[in-house]
Amino acid sequence: MNTTYETNPLIERLPKHLKQFIKPQDYEEYTPINQAVWRYVMRKNVDYLGKVAHSSYLDGLRQTGIDIESIPNMYGMNRILKEIGWAAVAVDGFIPPNAFMEFQAYNVLVIASDIRQLEHIEYTPAPDIIHEGAGHAPIIANPEYAEYLRRFGEIGCKAISSAHDYEMYEAIRLLSILKEAEGTPEAEIEAAEKHVDDLQNNLGELSEMAQIRNLHWWTVEYGLIGTIQNPKIYGAGLLSSIGESAWCMTENVKKSPYDISAANQSFDITKPQPQLFVTPDFAHLNQVLEEFANKMALRTGGLSGVQKLIKSKALGTIELSTGVQISGVFTNVIDHEGKPVYIQTTGKTALSYREKELVGHGTNYHAEGFGSPIGKLKGINLAIEDMSPRDLRAYDIYEGEQVTLEFEGDITVTGEIITGSRNLRGEIIIISFKNCTVKHKDTVLFQPEWGTYDMAVGKKVISAFSGPADVNSFDMISHVPSSKTIKQKKSTEREELENLYKNVRNIREGIHAEITLKEAFAAVSANHHNDWLLSVEIAELAQKENNTDLIDKVLNHLENVKISRPEVAHLIANGLDLIFDKTTA
């Protein structure tokens, strides 16, 4: 398989803070067992999902260049994805939700490049290449769904998180890694599960990010489409789980019409879902997304938007009615009659206009924070931004004038005006003062010895959202996850089994193999009693060769494995059904 790095213009234009999450997909790390796991799941999926998945799924597999026989090379996929306006990058397991969604906004599919162990072939709580590559990628070939995914990312990455959300992300990431890792002590898993349960049982008021993650889960990950009576699968979590894709179609799983109430329906990533939502079509997904977005601080702004940013304790932005954008960590807001009249950031802050940092107003200049009144002047019905040059002159808002501006809510700004900056519409967006004192009643908010006072102009906060207005204003290359994915352990026994898988794969592909099919079966049945998948693969090749003697021996052996390992009996049966049902049909 071609393993050369194939990039894509969409990857090239990603901002640096997203590129920090990208890791190389080392194709040589995939073992013969990994390849067999991929092949088993994909063959089973294509056989079963052809009946229950949305019609876009099988078409999408062909369009995105995903091969049933081999794990895809993602950077090879980029050549094909480019034709439908998307790209793919490899990452290490879960990444923070804001970053995940921002990748989507850039039409880039995030793919966890690890693959589940054979022991977790039906389902893994950890994101892996089966989930991402075989689940997400095929459906984005549908233009309407692809636009929903992009739009979701664009809106979702602006959702304001809480400190609880990040703690939950770290806890779920660790739990998924421990559950997928080989030989993790049960006590460690139980402790991680308890931590996740404690966090889930103490959610409090859901943040915007928690709510939009719920919408993402019940659509992009676990969505059904069609009617309640006859739903089809389009969610990647279901498309990539050979166990749950069948389970979800039974009456054991409650089906509900998809609407905005799904934003408040939390989920447990480590267990099969007891209930799912059904959308009538992809267009309905966009309607619900817009309905939710209309309630976000991104569109409503106001006092509640600023309060959400303060509660998040993270980098965020407010936009004023003039278009000036203030980005930083918001720590205080003074309100009057339900409206913000003064906002304050602490630490590095940047001012922007239309997502472009204003010259001279970066984090080096506003290194200690930024504060500004918001609203109208007391007793004057005309906001500063709406004043004509004659009005500004009449109220002494003019360069070189000593002025006291009294805002509604008892905020006063007294000082000498140095200069003002205007936006493209000619509205004043910043007024700079020297010898300036700013007060709220008797409380001093800014004093002359602190230097120049820059006042942002705006009668109201029209938007509040997560992250900076201009991504280049801040050094955002800082993400260090508290946990890393754990690779499979190597042993003499594992290496011997891997070699057997490799030989059988070589036989199937017509490549020189060191041993015969019969010898491979003798070795696996004698030395690797717990393994079942290789024997299924040997049965497939024996059937093609019409080697009835070997088939009988393999089937007898697999019956014994079913008895000793009842938990894999259905997997063996499913694998054999693919071989013998197809040949006898």
Side-chain angles (χ1 to χ4, degrees):
M1 170 167 279
N2 178 20
T3 58
T4 55
Y5 181 94
E6 291 288 344
T7 188
N8 178 311
L10 292 173
I11 299 173
E12 298 302 320
R13 71 185 181 97
L14 287 172
K16 290 179 183 177
H17 71 277
L18 290 183
K19 287 182 178 178
Q20 70 179 310
F21 295 102
I22 300 173
K23 68 168 225 179
Q25 181 198 25
D26 187 350
Y27 201 86
E28 300 306 314
E29 282 192 1
Y30 296 124
T31 69
I33 294 179
N34 294 155
Q35 295 286 2
V37 166
W38 171 272
R39 184 171 181 270
Y40 178 93
V41 172
M42 290 306 297
R43 291 176 77 232
K44 188 65 188 167
N45 273 2
V46 170
D47 177 67
Y48 175 66
L49 293 174
K51 308 179 190 81
V52 299
H54 186 266
S55 58
S56 298
Y57 178 74
L58 293 181
D59 291 340
L61 279 177
R62 289 187 287 271
Q63 280 186 260
T64 50
I66 293 173
D67 183 12
I68 292 171
E69 295 293 322
S70 302
I71 297 169
N73 178 319
M74 281 174 296
Y75 297 103
M77 276 174 65
N78 274 312
R79 294 195 306 277
I80 300 163
L81 287 172
K82 186 162 59 175
E83 294 174 14
I84 58 173
W86 280 73
V89 295
V91 297
D92 182 44
F94 281 115
I95 65 173
N98 287 81
F100 182 88
M101 293 187 192
E102 195 175 354
F103 271 108
Q104 283 182 196
Y106 281 93
N107 284 32
V108 175
L109 199 61
V110 173
I111 296 181
S113 57
D114 288 338
I115 187 166
R116 66 195 63 178
Q117 295 180 64
L118 175 55
E119 288 72 21
H120 300 150
I121 195 166
E122 282 192 285
Y123 171 80
T124 173
D128 76 335
I129 196 164
I130 293 177
H131 171 80
E132 315 281 10
H136 285 295
I139 295 293
I140 63 168
N142 179 296
E144 192 168 21
Y145 179 75
E147 173 55 19
Y148 168 70
L149 204 61
R150 185 201 67 78
R151 186 76 177 132
F152 198 107
E154 195 171 58
I155 292 169
C157 72
K158 300 295 186 185
I160 299 171
S161 300
S162 66
H164 184 278
D165 292 332
Y166 198 79
E167 192 178 358
M168 177 65 86
Y169 153 71
E170 288 281 12
I172 288 175
R173 176 182 164 87
L174 176 61
L175 176 59
S176 69
I177 288 170
L178 292 178
K179 290 191 89 166
E180 174 58 27
E182 183 182 0
T184 304
E186 196 60 37
E188 272 190 59
I189 293 177
E190 286 175 2
E193 282 179 330
K194 184 178 184 305
H195 186 42
V196 169
D197 285 343
D198 289 345
L199 291 172
Q200 286 180 327
N201 293 331
N202 294 282
L203 290 174
E205 184 182 352
L206 294 181
S207 69
E208 287 182 352
M209 177 54 74
Q211 289 181 308
I212 206 163
R213 277 190 69 223
N214 287 343
L215 291 182
H216 194 271
W217 182 263
W218 299 122
T219 61
V220 175
E221 297 293 352
Y222 278 80
L224 298 175
I225 188 168
T227 63
I228 300 292
Q229 296 73 30
N230 184 31
K232 299 292 185 183
I233 297 171
Y234 73 92
L238 297 173
L239 292 173
S240 60
S241 171
I242 55 178
E244 204 159 2
S245 59
W247 162 254
C248 78
M249 287 297 168
T250 68
E251 291 183 0
N252 295 313
V253 178
K254 180 185 173 186
K255 320 289 193 306
S256 302
Y258 177 65
D259 58 30
I260 198 167
S261 67
N264 294 312
Q265 180 65 54
S266 295
F267 57 89
D268 184 343
I269 197 169
T270 66
K271 298 181 177 72
Q273 304 308 309
Q275 59 95 55
L276 297 171
F277 291 92
V278 186
T279 183
D281 47 44
F282 289 139
H284 182 68
L285 298 180
N286 280 305
Q287 291 173 21
V288 174
L289 177 60
E290 288 301 316
E291 187 181 352
F292 181 79
N294 285 336
K295 297 181 178 182
M296 288 173 61
L298 175 68
R299 294 186 181 173
T300 61
L303 177 62
S304 65
V306 182
Q307 289 171 332
K308 284 179 182 178
L309 285 178
I310 292 171
K311 189 177 178 183
S312 77
K313 300 179 182 177
L315 176 61
T317 298
I318 65 166
E319 182 174 336
L320 305 184
S321 44
T322 52
V324 67
Q325 297 163 315
I326 304 160
S327 299
V329 177
F330 288 82
T331 50
N332 190 31
V333 61
I334 300 170
D335 60 281
H336 174 70
E337 296 181 349
K339 298 176 183 177
V341 293
Y342 196 88
I343 56 90
Q344 179 71 53
T345 67
T346 300
K348 291 184 175 183
T349 305
L351 306 186
S352 302
Y353 180 73
R354 292 189 174 179
E355 288 72 50
K356 182 74 174 173
E357 185 182 293
L358 293 169
V359 175
H361 289 283
T363 56
N364 288 335
Y365 179 66
H366 297 293
E368 304 301 320
F370 181 84
S372 179
I374 295 165
K376 293 181 179 180
L377 297 173
K378 190 181 290 185
I380 301 173
N381 201 31
L382 198 62
I384 293 175
E385 66 206 69
D386 298 327
M387 290 180 179
S388 68
R390 184 177 293 178
D391 295 326
L392 292 168
R393 179 74 267 192
Y395 292 108
D396 289 333
I397 303 174
Y398 210 77
E399 290 176 16
E401 294 287 349
Q402 180 74 25
V403 68
T404 295
L405 302 176
E406 282 189 67
F407 288 85
E408 293 175 346
D410 298 313
I411 305 291
T412 58
V413 178
T414 302
E416 183 183 332
I417 296 177
I418 303 170
T419 187
S421 302
R422 296 178 184 270
N423 64 17
L424 294 173
R425 297 191 298 269
E427 300 164 339
I428 291 182
I429 57 174
I430 297 173
I431 299 174
S432 298
F433 298 81
K434 64 181 179 181
N435 301 321
C436 187
T437 301
V438 183
K439 289 184 177 181
H440 173 235
K441 297 180 180 177
D442 295 327
T443 303
V444 175
L445 303 173
F446 191 91
Q447 49 197 33
E449 51 266 36
W450 293 355
T452 300
Y453 181 71
D454 298 291
M455 184 182 82
V457 176
K459 57 190 170 188
K460 60 183 177 179
V461 176
I462 63 168
S463 181
F465 54 88
S466 174
D470 184 339
V471 295
N472 297 310
S473 294
F474 294 82
D475 178 8
M476 297 167 66
I477 304 176
S478 59
H479 177 70
V480 180
S482 61
S483 50
K484 292 197 173 182
T485 51
I486 301 168
K487 302 299 181 187
Q488 291 179 356
K489 295 174 182 174
K490 292 185 177 179
S491 66
T492 304
E493 184 182 353
R494 171 63 66 90
E495 284 183 27
E496 182 185 294
L497 184 59
E498 292 282 9
N499 281 331
L500 291 174
Y501 270 88
K502 183 178 180 182
N503 271 280
V504 170
R505 187 175 184 87
N506 286 347
I507 292 169
R508 186 188 317 110
E509 294 178 352
I511 301 171
H512 172 71
E514 294 175 358
I515 58 176
T516 65
L517 208 56
K518 184 179 178 181
E519 289 169 332
F521 173 67
V524 74
S525 58
N527 303 324
H528 305 279
H529 307 291
N530 283 331
D531 188 81
W532 59 271
L533 181 54
L534 186 58
S535 295
V536 170
E537 294 208 331
I538 290 170
E540 179 190 355
L541 293 175
Q543 176 72 5
K544 285 181 180 177
E545 295 175 0
N546 202 24
N547 187 340
T548 54
D549 181 52
L550 182 55
I551 290 171
D552 289 343
K553 288 179 180 176
V554 174
L555 293 181
N556 285 334
H557 169 70
L558 286 171
E559 284 302 316
N560 291 329
V561 176
K562 283 183 185 180
I563 294 167
S564 63
R565 296 191 65 197
E567 72 277 10
V568 300
H570 64 292
L571 295 172
I572 294 170
N574 289 342
L576 295 176
D577 284 349
L578 281 175
I579 300 164
F580 295 105
D581 281 6
K582 291 287 182 291
T583 55
T584 57

